[in-house]
Amino acid sequence: MPRNRVVQVVRFGDADGIEVADAPLPAAGPGQVRVRVLASSLEYTDVVIRRHLYLQTLRREPPFVLGYDLIGEIDQIGEGVVGLRIGDCVADMTVLGSNASYRTLEAADVVPVPEGVDAAEAAAMVLSWTTAYQLLHRAVHILPGRRVLVHGAAGAVGQALLALGAGAGLRMWGTARAQHADLVRSLGATPIDYQREDFTQVLTRGFDVVFDGIGQDGYRRSLAALNRGGTLCGYGYSASVQRGSRLGGIMLAVASVSLRAWLSGKHARIYSINLMRARHPEWFREDLARLFAMLKAGSVRPRVVGRIGFGEVVDAHRRIEAGGLDGKLVLCPA
Ligand SMILES: NC(=O)c1ccc[n+]([C@@H]2O[C@H](COP(=O)([O-])OP(=O)(O)OC[C@H]3O[C@@H](n4cnc5c(N)ncnc54)[C@H](OP(=O)(O)O)[C@@H]3O)[C@@H](O)[C@H]2O)c1
């Protein structure tokens, strides 16, 4: 019988609260498939989850298995599943549980992965690139020529926003540390050094749209960087996680952003991929399938900077939290 290993949070807090453990091999129940995991991303959102600052997983108590997304090969099919076969390669966004050698999935949720694509690159598409695609085309309906500021431009979602934004004909600026300026430029944007420059002073008339997954100062400076009528799209709060803020305060800042925008003649949207998937499951499937087709055609290529084994996961969490990465770390259980 194959061995199952999992990455689990045994204690909320820093990366020392993560352990790799043996686990029973799950069996596919009715309507389910079991997959052998080929690739499962490590994300900044995993840090938010293990620090117990993530709304969707707030009720979970350790131990629980991490792993937001995966690419896997079906090795067992449960009763009543039609249209899927042993050996098919599929993707899913599970929020938890995918940093494992094997897991089960609801057959109705999986998205087929085209043959011949790299599993680690495909894994990067599931959370990071689908988020970027939906921010551009579902949350904001962005038009060519718009002047757009992307925060965290060298990050996983930031790079995807720039790559997809360039294809959509946007004029883009991206905040990143100085060492990532060339990367930001290569993705078609003007770099802004967030450690030395003031992004609110870059355009006198302000940006049309700001995408902000950082949420510095409760998004105040991002709102200030917009022109009148401009739109802030907030989708994360890394700055508050780094500062060790409490979830109540973070949610208050997020909840009040629309009112604050309105008072200054601007607009604000808060995006969550889980909420959008719950409301429009067909959008998630369509958007991910479109991104897989682009990956297969070679028109996009996510940067994967490390394909790691179970033994490197704790260190990978430390690296993600320390910052300075310029691509994804992906667990490839092999
Ligand atoms: N709402 C949703 O559905 C959704 C979906 C996906 C992700 N998210 C959230 O979005 C955020 C970004 O995710 P990610 O996966 O792209 O994370 P990531 O790969 O860690 O990228 C974040 C980037 O932000 C940069 N950064 C940190 N502090 C900054 C600052 N003050 N100004 C400008 N840039 C700064 C980091 O740069 P350095 O490396 O230089 O520090 C890093 O390049 C996270 O909070 C995540 O939880 C939300």
Side-chain angles (χ1 to χ4, degrees), residues 221-234:
R221 295 179 65 238
S222 285
L223 278 175
L226 286 169
N227 59 27
R228 220 176 151 73
T231 302
L232 164 69
C233 199

Side-chain angles (χ1 to χ4, degrees), residues 76 80 118 162 169 179 181 208 222 282 293-294 296 312 322 324 334:
Q76 193 183 61
D118 177 82
L162 295 188
Q179 79 203 51
D208 300 312
S222 285
E282 72 290 358
M294 291 164 80
K296 169 93 179 162
E312 296 155 280

Side-chain angles (χ1 to χ4, degrees), residues 275-325:
L275 271 184
M276 193 166 272
R277 188 183 190 186
R279 285 186 191 140
H280 302 285
E282 72 290 358
W283 287 0
F284 179 82
R285 299 179 70 83
E286 276 170 34
D287 298 344
L288 183 54
R290 185 178 290 114
L291 290 166
F292 282 154
M294 291 164 80
L295 181 63
K296 169 93 179 162
S299 54
V300 294
R301 181 122 198 249
R303 279 169 74 89
V304 175
V305 292
R307 293 152 204 268
I308 63 170
F310 283 106
E312 296 155 280
V313 166
V314 175
D315 184 51
H317 266 253
R318 292 198 182 101
R319 289 174 66 193
I320 291 172
E321 211 165 359
L325 284 171

Side-chain angles (χ1 to χ4, degrees), residues 252-268:
L252 205 62
V254 172
S256 65
V257 73
S258 296
L259 176 64
R260 289 185 278 125
W262 180 75
L263 289 172
S264 53
K266 298 167 183 177
H267 307 279

